Amino acid sequence: MPNTKRACLLLLSLALVSSCSSQAQNDGLSSSTSSAEVHAQGVPGGVTAEMEQITAVISDIDYKKRTFTLQDQQGHRQTFQAVPEIRNFPQMKVGDRVTATVTRERVVYLREPGESREDGAAGVLATAPEGDKPGIMAADTVEVTAVVKAIDAAKHTATLEFADGSRKTVAVRPDVELKPSYVNQEVVIRLTSAVAITVEAP
């Protein structure tokens, strides 16, 4: 996804803003992305993580309309509408530095027989105390499971069946031995998204 649209969606997903302005001067904000993958040799599954960050300075504020414009180091600008839940909007000032970070993590592993299930979602939301600079932190975790219905040793793939009956064939890492005992075993897929925004005086 292009940086301009990805940056806009990033801020929207943080619930700090409700909509992007359509004013002509908007040309999007740049974001930086890093990723990492961790797995144990020979063990099915692993952990992948991606972090995306935007850093910009408030270049304009309209307190009456509750809008503010961010400008990054490249000179790109984007205007946003603050949602009513931002109690501390009046504390924002031109020149304040805004940092928005989204972290996404995916954990995949085979569930051991007898291990408890935690299907569903869980989340947390925290905002800055009233009177401080606006800030928000939120995290959401969703866990889904699938069952290994078939393995193909020649192609080194496994076919997973999800709760809704849909199936997906996925490639398995070359270092993982496809054992017949994996058939009918559960695969846990845990997705966690964490977002944070800080506003600091220059």
Side-chain angles (χ1 to χ4, degrees):
M1 181 182 296
N3 276 353
T4 53
K5 289 187 178 296
R6 184 173 61 215
C8 184
L9 291 174
L10 171 62
L11 290 180
L12 285 171
S13 69
L14 300 179
L16 179 63
V17 294
S18 60
S19 62
C20 294
S21 170
S22 59
Q23 295 178 21
Q25 82 271 15
N26 289 348
D27 47 18
L29 300 174
S30 298
S31 64
S32 60
T33 303
S34 60
S35 60
E37 181 176 351
V38 179
H39 62 262
Q41 186 74 13
V43 178
V47 180
T48 58
E50 181 182 273
M51 185 178 74
E52 186 172 12
Q53 187 173 80
I54 290 174
T55 300
V57 173
I58 298 175
S59 61
D60 186 66
I61 294 180
D62 188 321
Y63 293 106
K64 186 175 181 179
K65 295 181 179 178
R66 290 181 62 85
T67 62
F68 61 99
T69 300
L70 299 180
Q71 180 171 323
D72 61 22
Q73 291 183 341
Q74 290 74 37
H76 302 146
R77 293 163 59 88
Q78 191 76 42
T79 301
F80 298 95
Q81 177 75 47
V83 294
E85 289 78 7
I86 302 179
R87 300 172 301 173
N88 299 350
F89 182 72
Q91 307 301 322
M92 296 174 66
K93 308 292 182 185
V94 171
D96 283 354
R97 185 181 185 86
V98 178
T99 301
T101 305
V102 171
T103 303
R104 307 176 188 89
E105 181 184 77
R106 181 180 65 185
V107 179
V108 180
Y109 64 94
L110 285 175
R111 173 170 281 148
E112 295 296 330
E115 183 182 347
S116 62
R117 299 172 60 93
E118 298 181 6
D119 284 21
V124 62
L125 174 66
T127 57
E130 191 167 357
D132 286 359
K133 290 286 187 182
I136 189 169
M137 179 184 69
D140 182 68
T141 299
V142 177
E143 180 177 298
V144 297
T145 58
V147 176
V148 180
K149 302 304 291 185
I151 56 176
D152 188 326
K155 296 181 178 179
H156 216 69
T157 60
T159 299
L160 307 181
E161 183 176 88
F162 294 86
D164 62 0
S166 63
R167 291 193 175 195
K168 183 177 182 180
T169 299
V170 297
V172 179
R173 295 197 326 270
D175 61 288
V176 175
E177 180 185 355
L178 288 176
K179 302 177 181 180
S181 60
Y182 290 159
V183 176
N184 293 323
Q185 195 166 344
E186 281 190 330
V187 175
V188 179
I189 305 169
R190 185 173 295 145
L191 306 171
T192 300
S193 298
V195 298
I197 284 183
T198 58
V199 180
E200 299 176 320

